[in-house]
Amino acid sequence: MKRTVTTKPMPNAPRGTKHPPARAPLERIEHERDAWLGQVHPSAHFHTLFDHLPGVCFYCKDEQGRFMLVSRSFLQHHQMRHESELIGLTDFDVVPHPMAAGYVRDDARLLSGKSRCIERVELWYDKQGTPDWVFVSKLPLKDHTGRICGTAGVVRPAAEHEMQLPMLQSVARAVEIIRREFAGPIVLAEVARKCGLSMRHFQRRFQQAFGFSPQEFLMRTRVAAAMKLLEETNRSAAEIATRCGFVDGSSFAEQFRERVGLSPTGYRESVH
């Protein structure tokens, strides 16, 4: 007995047809799409979807580098509760100067049209001051005339397969050692040896992977740990300097001010 198969018509397709109806010309569809997007209220724009993606941070900046749209997770990462605390600020207002300078260099490439997309694995510092691996994607934003008018970015935890890249594997061991032992007298030549690299190749690969040297990563890690202690404890600056691996109080104050823009005492006062 011959078996019959009954098929249901596609949604919105006229009965009796096997193929979807022909689409309108692309130019007309694009015009209708743009008109439809113009009707969407700004407070309901699609960036709010990022609030429902755990671990993913999203932001948009204008040509001046000022934050215009941010996800809730981005605010939480910077220990802020409402976008009114961040809107209109630049990277230099929210992260240490060396980090901000790197972000601004990326923005300049995107705004000039020299790059259509920037994607890389970076080290971000979490709310506990601990560096962690993240994957960053940045794009230029264009207005209705096609002119570049800002930048947008997404930051998310790096997937396991992304951490298998040869360049990252060569320095991942070093990152773990520094994260674990930053408070002690770390000898970077010994760290390089544990990674199976000469000091020269270690320096080069670290620079290629992150855009800064292993010495700078060690110092940023120490400063981030010091910031956390200044925020959460009443320990003296001298005690914090010792706990975070600085040789003395004056070195601590110098390195801290260079990366944060404030003295340790000034930073404590600004967050309390």
PDB file of all heavy atoms in Angstrom, residues 219-240:
ATOM      1  N   MET A 219      52.805  44.447  37.364  1.00  0.00           N
ATOM      2  CA  MET A 219      52.523  45.669  38.107  1.00  0.00           C
ATOM      3  C   MET A 219      51.020  45.957  38.148  1.00  0.00           C
ATOM      4  O   MET A 219      50.490  46.376  39.185  1.00  0.00           O
ATOM      5  CB  MET A 219      53.278  46.833  37.469  1.00  0.00           C
ATOM      6  CG  MET A 219      53.436  48.033  38.386  1.00  0.00           C
ATOM      7  SD  MET A 219      54.255  47.608  39.956  1.00  0.00           S
ATOM      8  CE  MET A 219      55.858  47.033  39.382  1.00  0.00           C
ATOM      9  N   ARG A 220      50.323  45.743  37.050  1.00  0.00           N
ATOM     10  CA  ARG A 220      48.874  45.960  37.036  1.00  0.00           C
ATOM     11  C   ARG A 220      48.171  45.020  38.017  1.00  0.00           C
ATOM     12  O   ARG A 220      47.202  45.404  38.675  1.00  0.00           O
ATOM     13  CB  ARG A 220      48.306  45.731  35.628  1.00  0.00           C
ATOM     14  CG  ARG A 220      48.711  46.777  34.614  1.00  0.00           C
ATOM     15  CD  ARG A 220      47.979  46.534  33.297  1.00  0.00           C
ATOM     16  NE  ARG A 220      48.492  47.382  32.224  1.00  0.00           N
ATOM     17  CZ  ARG A 220      47.953  47.468  31.020  1.00  0.00           C
ATOM     18  NH1 ARG A 220      46.882  46.753  30.729  1.00  0.00           N
ATOM     19  NH2 ARG A 220      48.467  48.251  30.098  1.00  0.00           N
ATOM     20  N   THR A 221      48.654  43.786  38.084  1.00  0.00           N
ATOM     21  CA  THR A 221      48.057  42.821  38.996  1.00  0.00           C
ATOM     22  C   THR A 221      48.252  43.262  40.442  1.00  0.00           C
ATOM     23  O   THR A 221      47.330  43.177  41.267  1.00  0.00           O
ATOM     24  CB  THR A 221      48.677  41.431  38.774  1.00  0.00           C
ATOM     25  OG1 THR A 221      48.480  41.043  37.409  1.00  0.00           O
ATOM     26  CG2 THR A 221      48.049  40.392  39.682  1.00  0.00           C
ATOM     27  N   ARG A 222      49.442  43.747  40.762  1.00  0.00           N
ATOM     28  CA  ARG A 222      49.709  44.224  42.118  1.00  0.00           C
ATOM     29  C   ARG A 222      48.868  45.458  42.446  1.00  0.00           C
ATOM     30  O   ARG A 222      48.320  45.574  43.551  1.00  0.00           O
ATOM     31  CB  ARG A 222      51.203  44.528  42.266  1.00  0.00           C
ATOM     32  CG  ARG A 222      52.065  43.272  42.361  1.00  0.00           C
ATOM     33  CD  ARG A 222      53.542  43.580  42.345  1.00  0.00           C
ATOM     34  NE  ARG A 222      54.320  42.382  42.688  1.00  0.00           N
ATOM     35  CZ  ARG A 222      55.635  42.255  42.519  1.00  0.00           C
ATOM     36  NH1 ARG A 222      56.326  43.293  42.007  1.00  0.00           N
ATOM     37  NH2 ARG A 222      56.250  41.150  42.862  1.00  0.00           N
ATOM     38  N   VAL A 223      48.771  46.379  41.496  1.00  0.00           N
ATOM     39  CA  VAL A 223      47.983  47.591  41.729  1.00  0.00           C
ATOM     40  C   VAL A 223      46.506  47.239  41.905  1.00  0.00           C
ATOM     41  O   VAL A 223      45.829  47.791  42.779  1.00  0.00           O
ATOM     42  CB  VAL A 223      48.178  48.591  40.573  1.00  0.00           C
ATOM     43  CG1 VAL A 223      47.125  49.704  40.621  1.00  0.00           C
ATOM     44  CG2 VAL A 223      49.575  49.195  40.624  1.00  0.00           C
ATOM     45  N   ALA A 224      45.980  46.312  41.097  1.00  0.00           N
ATOM     46  CA  ALA A 224      44.576  45.910  41.225  1.00  0.00           C
ATOM     47  C   ALA A 224      44.304  45.301  42.594  1.00  0.00           C
ATOM     48  O   ALA A 224      43.270  45.568  43.222  1.00  0.00           O
ATOM     49  CB  ALA A 224      44.214  44.918  40.126  1.00  0.00           C
ATOM     50  N   ALA A 225      45.238  44.484  43.085  1.00  0.00           N
ATOM     51  CA  ALA A 225      45.073  43.896  44.412  1.00  0.00           C
ATOM     52  C   ALA A 225      45.114  44.972  45.488  1.00  0.00           C
ATOM     53  O   ALA A 225      44.351  44.922  46.467  1.00  0.00           O
ATOM     54  CB  ALA A 225      46.170  42.854  44.649  1.00  0.00           C
ATOM     55  N   ALA A 226      45.993  45.962  45.308  1.00  0.00           N
ATOM     56  CA  ALA A 226      46.088  47.064  46.274  1.00  0.00           C
ATOM     57  C   ALA A 226      44.806  47.890  46.286  1.00  0.00           C
ATOM     58  O   ALA A 226      44.336  48.322  47.350  1.00  0.00           O
ATOM     59  CB  ALA A 226      47.292  47.940  45.942  1.00  0.00           C
ATOM     60  N   MET A 227      44.226  48.128  45.123  1.00  0.00           N
ATOM     61  CA  MET A 227      42.962  48.882  45.045  1.00  0.00           C
ATOM     62  C   MET A 227      41.880  48.183  45.855  1.00  0.00           C
ATOM     63  O   MET A 227      41.114  48.830  46.577  1.00  0.00           O
ATOM     64  CB  MET A 227      42.535  49.029  43.581  1.00  0.00           C
ATOM     65  CG  MET A 227      43.434  49.938  42.752  1.00  0.00           C
ATOM     66  SD  MET A 227      43.061  49.880  40.978  1.00  0.00           S
ATOM     67  CE  MET A 227      41.493  50.749  40.934  1.00  0.00           C
ATOM     68  N   LYS A 228      41.824  46.870  45.749  1.00  0.00           N
ATOM     69  CA  LYS A 228      40.809  46.107  46.485  1.00  0.00           C
ATOM     70  C   LYS A 228      41.009  46.252  47.990  1.00  0.00           C
ATOM     71  O   LYS A 228      40.052  46.446  48.753  1.00  0.00           O
ATOM     72  CB  LYS A 228      40.877  44.637  46.073  1.00  0.00           C
ATOM     73  CG  LYS A 228      39.779  43.766  46.659  1.00  0.00           C
ATOM     74  CD  LYS A 228      39.823  42.394  46.027  1.00  0.00           C
ATOM     75  CE  LYS A 228      38.651  41.534  46.502  1.00  0.00           C
ATOM     76  NZ  LYS A 228      38.793  41.135  47.909  1.00  0.00           N
ATOM     77  N   LEU A 229      42.258  46.182  48.447  1.00  0.00           N
ATOM     78  CA  LEU A 229      42.532  46.314  49.876  1.00  0.00           C
ATOM     79  C   LEU A 229      42.250  47.733  50.367  1.00  0.00           C
ATOM     80  O   LEU A 229      41.771  47.922  51.488  1.00  0.00           O
ATOM     81  CB  LEU A 229      43.985  45.933  50.159  1.00  0.00           C
ATOM     82  CG  LEU A 229      44.330  44.442  50.015  1.00  0.00           C
ATOM     83  CD1 LEU A 229      45.814  44.215  50.190  1.00  0.00           C
ATOM     84  CD2 LEU A 229      43.544  43.606  51.018  1.00  0.00           C
ATOM     85  N   LEU A 230      42.529  48.730  49.546  1.00  0.00           N
ATOM     86  CA  LEU A 230      42.240  50.114  49.926  1.00  0.00           C
ATOM     87  C   LEU A 230      40.738  50.337  50.060  1.00  0.00           C
ATOM     88  O   LEU A 230      40.284  51.097  50.912  1.00  0.00           O
ATOM     89  CB  LEU A 230      42.824  51.074  48.889  1.00  0.00           C
ATOM     90  CG  LEU A 230      44.348  51.235  48.909  1.00  0.00           C
ATOM     91  CD1 LEU A 230      44.826  51.919  47.626  1.00  0.00           C
ATOM     92  CD2 LEU A 230      44.798  52.029  50.135  1.00  0.00           C
ATOM     93  N   GLU A 231      39.967  49.664  49.206  1.00  0.00           N
ATOM     94  CA  GLU A 231      38.506  49.810  49.232  1.00  0.00           C
ATOM     95  C   GLU A 231      37.876  49.086  50.421  1.00  0.00           C
ATOM     96  O   GLU A 231      36.924  49.581  51.026  1.00  0.00           O
ATOM     97  CB  GLU A 231      37.900  49.251  47.933  1.00  0.00           C
ATOM     98  CG  GLU A 231      38.249  50.044  46.683  1.00  0.00           C
ATOM     99  CD  GLU A 231      37.777  49.330  45.430  1.00  0.00           C
ATOM    100  OE1 GLU A 231      36.955  48.391  45.548  1.00  0.00           O
ATOM    101  OE2 GLU A 231      38.228  49.696  44.336  1.00  0.00           O
ATOM    102  N   GLU A 232      38.408  47.908  50.752  1.00  0.00           N
ATOM    103  CA  GLU A 232      37.696  47.012  51.657  1.00  0.00           C
ATOM    104  C   GLU A 232      38.303  46.875  53.047  1.00  0.00           C
ATOM    105  O   GLU A 232      37.701  46.237  53.916  1.00  0.00           O
ATOM    106  CB  GLU A 232      37.600  45.618  51.013  1.00  0.00           C
ATOM    107  CG  GLU A 232      36.837  45.618  49.690  1.00  0.00           C
ATOM    108  CD  GLU A 232      36.778  44.248  49.047  1.00  0.00           C
ATOM    109  OE1 GLU A 232      37.350  43.295  49.638  1.00  0.00           O
ATOM    110  OE2 GLU A 232      36.170  44.124  47.972  1.00  0.00           O
ATOM    111  N   THR A 233      39.491  47.441  53.266  1.00  0.00           N
ATOM    112  CA  THR A 233      40.127  47.308  54.581  1.00  0.00           C
ATOM    113  C   THR A 233      40.600  48.671  55.075  1.00  0.00           C
ATOM    114  O   THR A 233      40.612  49.653  54.327  1.00  0.00           O
ATOM    115  CB  THR A 233      41.346  46.356  54.527  1.00  0.00           C
ATOM    116  OG1 THR A 233      42.441  47.024  53.867  1.00  0.00           O
ATOM    117  CG2 THR A 233      41.011  45.074  53.773  1.00  0.00           C
ATOM    118  N   ASN A 234      41.023  48.700  56.329  1.00  0.00           N
ATOM    119  CA  ASN A 234      41.599  49.910  56.927  1.00  0.00           C
ATOM    120  C   ASN A 234      43.113  49.789  57.085  1.00  0.00           C
ATOM    121  O   ASN A 234      43.728  50.569  57.819  1.00  0.00           O
ATOM    122  CB  ASN A 234      40.960  50.173  58.301  1.00  0.00           C
ATOM    123  CG  ASN A 234      39.494  50.554  58.177  1.00  0.00           C
ATOM    124  OD1 ASN A 234      39.110  51.299  57.279  1.00  0.00           O
ATOM    125  ND2 ASN A 234      38.664  50.019  59.078  1.00  0.00           N
ATOM    126  N   ARG A 235      43.698  48.831  56.403  1.00  0.00           N
ATOM    127  CA  ARG A 235      45.151  48.645  56.503  1.00  0.00           C
ATOM    128  C   ARG A 235      45.882  49.885  55.985  1.00  0.00           C
ATOM    129  O   ARG A 235      45.415  50.561  55.068  1.00  0.00           O
ATOM    130  CB  ARG A 235      45.587  47.417  55.712  1.00  0.00           C
ATOM    131  CG  ARG A 235      45.105  46.091  56.313  1.00  0.00           C
ATOM    132  CD  ARG A 235      45.771  44.924  55.608  1.00  0.00           C
ATOM    133  NE  ARG A 235      45.431  43.662  56.240  1.00  0.00           N
ATOM    134  CZ  ARG A 235      44.497  42.826  55.812  1.00  0.00           C
ATOM    135  NH1 ARG A 235      43.790  43.136  54.738  1.00  0.00           N
ATOM    136  NH2 ARG A 235      44.250  41.702  56.443  1.00  0.00           N
ATOM    137  N   SER A 236      47.040  50.129  56.545  1.00  0.00           N
ATOM    138  CA  SER A 236      47.833  51.281  56.126  1.00  0.00           C
ATOM    139  C   SER A 236      48.413  51.041  54.740  1.00  0.00           C
ATOM    140  O   SER A 236      48.526  49.897  54.278  1.00  0.00           O
ATOM    141  CB  SER A 236      48.975  51.526  57.119  1.00  0.00           C
ATOM    142  OG  SER A 236      49.908  50.457  57.052  1.00  0.00           O
ATOM    143  N   ALA A 237      48.820  52.134  54.095  1.00  0.00           N
ATOM    144  CA  ALA A 237      49.426  52.024  52.767  1.00  0.00           C
ATOM    145  C   ALA A 237      50.701  51.198  52.820  1.00  0.00           C
ATOM    146  O   ALA A 237      50.997  50.418  51.904  1.00  0.00           O
ATOM    147  CB  ALA A 237      49.714  53.417  52.204  1.00  0.00           C
ATOM    148  N   ALA A 238      51.464  51.345  53.892  1.00  0.00           N
ATOM    149  CA  ALA A 238      52.715  50.591  54.026  1.00  0.00           C
ATOM    150  C   ALA A 238      52.440  49.092  54.106  1.00  0.00           C
ATOM    151  O   ALA A 238      53.141  48.280  53.492  1.00  0.00           O
ATOM    152  CB  ALA A 238      53.470  51.067  55.263  1.00  0.00           C
ATOM    153  N   GLU A 239      51.406  48.706  54.878  1.00  0.00           N
ATOM    154  CA  GLU A 239      51.070  47.296  55.004  1.00  0.00           C
ATOM    155  C   GLU A 239      50.556  46.739  53.683  1.00  0.00           C
ATOM    156  O   GLU A 239      50.895  45.613  53.285  1.00  0.00           O
ATOM    157  CB  GLU A 239      50.026  47.098  56.097  1.00  0.00           C
ATOM    158  CG  GLU A 239      49.709  45.638  56.375  1.00  0.00           C
ATOM    159  CD  GLU A 239      48.674  45.447  57.465  1.00  0.00           C
ATOM    160  OE1 GLU A 239      48.241  46.451  58.062  1.00  0.00           O
ATOM    161  OE2 GLU A 239      48.288  44.282  57.708  1.00  0.00           O
ATOM    162  N   ILE A 240      49.738  47.503  52.983  1.00  0.00           N
ATOM    163  CA  ILE A 240      49.218  47.068  51.688  1.00  0.00           C
ATOM    164  C   ILE A 240      50.351  46.910  50.683  1.00  0.00           C
ATOM    165  O   ILE A 240      50.369  45.955  49.892  1.00  0.00           O
ATOM    166  CB  ILE A 240      48.159  48.067  51.183  1.00  0.00           C
ATOM    167  CG1 ILE A 240      46.900  47.967  52.050  1.00  0.00           C
ATOM    168  CG2 ILE A 240      47.814  47.804  49.716  1.00  0.00           C
ATOM    169  CD1 ILE A 240      45.847  49.006  51.733  1.00  0.00           C
TER     170      ILE A 240
END
